[in-house]
Amino acid sequence: MLHLRLITPADLTDTVVRLIENTVGTAHLVVLPGTARNPVGDVVLCDVAREAGDELLTALRRLDLDRTGSIAVENIDLSLSRRADKAEEEAPGEGADAVLWEGLADATHEESTLSVTYVSFITLATMIAACGVVLDNAVLIVGAMAVGPEFGPLAGLSTALVQRHPRLALRSLTALLVGFAVAMAVTVGFSLFMDAIDLFHRAQLDGERPNTAFVYAPDAFSFIVAVLAGIAGTLSLTSAKSGALVGVAISVTTVPAAANAAVALAYGDTGQTVGSIDQLLLNLLGIVLAGTLTLLAQKWLWARQRARTAGLSGLRARPEGD
């Protein structure tokens, strides 16, 4: 269930209340007239089944409530109410399959913004991965994958392509390209510094690396794993099961490939640099492609579910003898 807190202008409150009452899957409607001060208006509270949430939010935005008032949405972890149970039963489909497009756009907007924190995380992850590739240490590679925040802008780019949001697409692409460029540039300097203090050696990069050689040797499995991880990550975001994102992060060779490219560039090894960049681009392409196709499939399936439910509701409502 989702909890909605709305601030509505007084002349719009009755329209909003009727909209909520006519939306299948809503419960616990509360109206507090004249209680809002900034902006001035009435406060309307209600709960809605997740599978009915996107339809209600879209209708509220058509009323320009996001501009004239306020729409706040929270996830309800526990609701002990027969009316809530009934609302979820009445709503079409399953909550886990429903996509809150407004929530997805908002989440990916935050995760795909080029900020100091984002650049810091991706840079630190790349530096950790640099230590991993030089030492051929799989633990450091996995740790760097978990620290890397690059799935945020990748998901933002997929969402922007499906929802046709050019600004979100540009913001996500900027965060992705600038983030990796800065991280790799800093890691080149970091590698030269580590070499200067005799902690990194060219021989380590050129030697046998059974645990990390895959980062500069892309193959068909690189793309296949990236596609599978992109599907899993997208489903994790749309179903609010964020725990799966950690598994997605350590499944793809993005940060380690960027790190290996930076270290190889510091030592002038063009072969490993090119191979690592190919690995990086292949993984990024696979994730974006998978994420976009997954969102399109979810959108199509959910539209079919809603159309089927509307058809069944129409049949039930038709008088006998028609």
Side-chain angles (χ1 to χ4, degrees):
M1 293 290 286
L2 302 172
H3 177 67
L4 271 62
R5 186 189 72 244
L6 313 174
I7 297 179
T8 68
D11 59 346
L12 194 61
T13 300
D14 289 341
T15 302
V16 170
V17 169
R18 284 195 299 271
L19 174 63
I20 295 172
E21 290 176 336
N22 293 331
T23 300
V24 176
T26 59
H28 310 147
L29 176 61
V30 177
V31 181
L32 304 173
T35 53
R37 293 292 178 266
N38 183 21
V40 174
D42 304 330
V43 174
V44 179
L45 308 174
C46 74
D47 296 338
V48 59
R50 181 181 174 84
E51 51 268 43
D54 188 65
E55 179 182 358
L56 179 56
L57 290 174
T58 301
L60 290 171
R61 293 200 65 181
R62 287 200 190 103
L63 296 174
D64 284 333
L65 191 60
D66 54 323
R67 297 183 181 183
T68 60
S70 170
I71 304 173
V73 183
E74 299 174 336
N75 283 303
I76 299 177
D77 295 326
L78 177 64
S79 179
L80 302 178
S81 165
R82 290 185 178 179
R83 184 65 193 90
D85 294 340
K86 183 180 179 182
E88 289 188 323
E89 291 174 2
E90 293 173 345
E94 295 293 333
D97 297 332
V99 179
L100 290 175
W101 292 101
E102 295 295 339
L104 181 61
D106 184 69
T108 51
H109 175 278
E110 181 179 351
E111 294 293 328
S112 61
T113 301
L114 184 64
S115 63
V116 174
T117 300
Y118 170 80
V119 173
S120 298
F121 269 114
I122 198 169
T123 301
L124 290 170
T126 306
M127 292 166 69
I128 294 171
C131 296
V133 297
V134 171
L135 299 175
D136 194 36
N137 189 314
V139 174
L140 292 177
I141 294 296
V142 171
M145 289 175 172
V147 172
E150 72 278 8
F151 190 79
L154 289 170
L157 186 55
S158 295
T159 303
L161 292 174
V162 173
Q163 293 293 86
R164 299 179 183 178
H165 289 326
R167 290 186 179 180
L168 178 57
L170 180 60
R171 183 184 297 111
S172 301
L173 194 59
T174 300
L176 201 62
L177 297 180
V178 174
F180 271 114
V182 171
M184 291 172 69
V186 172
T187 303
V188 169
F190 173 71
S191 301
L192 293 173
F193 170 76
M194 294 292 280
D195 181 77
I197 62 176
D198 204 34
L199 291 178
F200 280 9
H201 304 94
R202 174 66 182 266
Q204 292 173 298
L205 188 70
D206 294 336
E208 293 291 329
R209 289 192 286 149
N211 294 320
T212 59
F214 68 93
V215 300
Y216 62 89
D219 55 21
F221 281 104
S222 301
F223 185 73
I224 291 171
V225 171
V227 168
L228 296 175
I231 295 172
T234 303
L235 291 175
S236 175
L237 284 177
T238 58
S239 62
K241 297 184 182 298
S242 58
L245 285 177
V246 177
V248 172
I250 61 177
S251 299
V252 291
T253 315
T254 49
V255 166
N260 198 85
V263 176
L265 185 61
Y267 284 119
D269 188 336
T270 56
Q272 285 201 37
T273 300
V274 172
S276 300
I277 292 176
D278 287 345
Q279 178 77 277
L280 173 62
L281 294 177
L282 194 62
N283 275 265
L284 295 179
L285 175 62
I287 294 172
V288 172
L289 178 62
T292 303
L293 293 177
T294 301
L295 289 174
L296 286 172
Q298 288 182 291
K299 194 171 187 178
W300 179 75
L301 289 171
W302 192 250
R304 285 196 63 187
Q305 173 65 43
R306 288 174 60 178
R308 186 183 302 114
T309 303
L312 291 175
S313 299
L315 288 175
R316 294 192 192 102
R318 185 178 300 173
E320 292 184 9
D322 284 3

